[in-house]
Amino acid sequence: MSSSSTTTTTTRLLMLKASDGVTFEVEEAVATKLGAINNMVEEEGSEDLICLPNVNGKFLGMVLEWCKKHANNNTNSDKGNDEVNKWWDKEFVMDLDQNTLYHLLMAADYLSGTELVDLLTEKVASMIRGKKVEEIRETFKIKSDFLPGQEEEIRKKNSWAFE
Amino acid sequence: MGSTSIMISNKRPRTRSPNWSSLDTDLLLLILDNLSFNDILRFKDVCSSWNFAAKSRYLLVSSPPWLMLPASRDSKPRGEYHHHHDQGGRAAATTSCQFFSLARKETHESCDDFAENLCVGSSRGWLVILDNRASPLLLNHFSRQKIALPPLKTLNPEIPGWEKGDYFVQKSNTWVVIIHGSVSENLAYCNVRDESWRGLNGDHLSYCDILSHEGRLYALSSSSAVEVWDFDQGNSDCYYHNNNNNNNNNNNIKYGSSFPTKLMNLVPESQPCLGLDGHYVNSQGDLLDEGELLTDEDAHPLVCPYRTVAFRVHKMELRKGVNCMKWEKVQGLGGRVLFLGGNESFSSRAFPGSSCDKNSICFTDDNWDDMNVDYLYGGHDNGVYSLETQAFKPYFQFDDDKVDPPPFWIVPSL
């Protein structure tokens, strides 16, 4: 619980409704980790139910799980907190497959969860590092859309400069 | 968002399958921020939207330049090359140069074999390479593009060596301008599609630096005068039409023997005390002139006879129609950083926390006259000079005082 004894504000609860109708009840302090929700709360303070037509319940749940962890950990100002967050983030992205990662990234971006987007794009980068072009395409199920001539050109450019 | 009731949807929300190639450019740019240059080279070849993102990263984000260095002596080809290139056998080739990123403090070994070829300059992402027959070539190490230039022997008298190079692009035009000669240093230019070099006949006997900005060439003479030439008259088609006597285009008249046009000859009222070497740099519209002072007083005369000990910076404000300008001494660089060397000199924003912090001058050795007189030293005069603290710092730890070939600044471009 984050409410401190010196203030009388009670923790406000928000209802978030995902595209598939799944709803989540979350503390305002948790949901406002997301820039998009924060803006809505500030603009129309009375609205308690927020519909999120572009996010599926599964991924909204994961995004909120991340928010909750970070909102809770931010309230106690321990020095070790950064370390805890980092460790937790590492666990969070460790076993994400490219399908989940993609939808999570889309959701985080849509909800303007800047820190989460940073974490996820770093995860994407880690899946690219050290791989050959073909392996990257394989990993992310990307089909080359270069014209045959361009593809040839790319291969040529990647050969050695002086032969 | 007036959201409460509109969201009654009778469709089962489907989870679309991921489409990584249609990822927002902003997200792709965030991913690119986490990748090394080697990885970015592969990233750009995955598909066209990733290619676009990788290229725009180098248009949007100005990052500190890279330093081209001789290969470290004990450098071995890394396993990475086996990954990167299909011809695994080639990875065993010895590396002859490496690139050091000031931003990421990472070194990137190059497998380009420069053994028979000499890098003599760099400008805007391009290396200027002379092969063993003195045929110059522009090479973009990062995009792998190559442009062959006319052989230097087409310029009369024959150029014995090529010291400083500059090139620039205007519209579809790419002009290359060089300073050549040893006793008196003259200017020459060519278009990348030309068959030969042409001399650029200025009013001064000798030139020490050139730069290009918005289609104009600024040449600094040894007497601190500045000549301005316009290379931005129409496009190359006009220029070539004229050569073919095709007179359909009225503009042709302009591009005869008078191309390029000399616009200004700025003779300063008084000469700044420049020391031995002059550079100049375009810094947000003003010209800055670096007087680099070389001395041998404090150094051990046998081991290391020359070392830069101070910089004096002078500024010339360019105003149209004024032919008599002043060099004014300045104390700071307005928070910017200068990069000087054998390459085209340039300024950039400061990168706090890196070696190139505000009001500092990053320099490489371009003391061409003395560089090859001894096998113990040469190319060693490198560092960062802070105009604020007037102190020198190294940006890279070299093995010894012989750095051959001397380092060049290079701005990565794809």
Side-chain angles (χ1 to χ4, degrees), chain A residues 19-20 40 44 47 49 51 53 56 59 98-99 101-103 105-106 109 117-118 121-122 124-125 128-133 136-137 140 142-146 154-155 157-163, chain B residues 1 3-4 7 13 15-23 27 30-31 34-35 39 42-48 50-51 83-87 90 111-114 117 129 137 139 143-146:
Chain A
S19 62
D20 50 358
M40 287 181 212
E44 35 184 309
E47 198 82 66
L49 176 68
C51 286
N56 177 298
F59 304 112
Q98 61 91 20
N99 184 50
L101 180 58
Y102 178 84
H103 292 290
L105 179 57
M106 291 290 114
D109 186 42
V117 168
D118 286 345
T121 47
E122 154 56 35
V124 178
I128 291 171
R129 263 178 227 133
K131 286 202 173 94
K132 281 196 267 186
V133 175
I136 299 171
R137 287 181 186 155
F140 296 99
I142 294 172
K143 284 202 181 84
S144 167
D145 58 350
F146 294 113
I154 284 167
R155 279 184 205 286
K157 278 183 189 167
N158 282 342
S159 63
W160 305 94
F162 298 104
E163 293 200 277
Chain B
M1 103 180 216
S3 51
T4 3
M7 287 327 304
T15 312
R16 283 156 294 137
S17 53
N19 187 351
W20 289 99
S21 54
S22 69
L23 214 58
L27 290 175
L30 286 174
I31 295 167
N34 288 298
L35 292 175
D39 288 315
R42 278 158 266 173
F43 182 99
K44 76 172 171 50
D45 293 344
V46 168
C47 64
S48 55
W50 287 29
N51 188 284
H83 285 291
H84 187 179
H85 297 283
D86 297 324
Q87 316 98 306
R90 289 281 308 180
C111 281
D112 288 336
D113 183 10
F114 291 113
N117 306 285
I129 311 281
L137 177 76
L139 166 70
S143 73
R144 317 304 303 172
Q145 278 176 283
K146 279 187 279 184

Side-chain angles (χ1 to χ4, degrees), chain A residues 71-83:
Chain A
N72 281 350
N73 283 345
N74 285 351
T75 51
N76 3 321
S77 51
D78 274 332
K79 272 184 188 168
N81 238 331
D82 263 3
E83 287 304 306

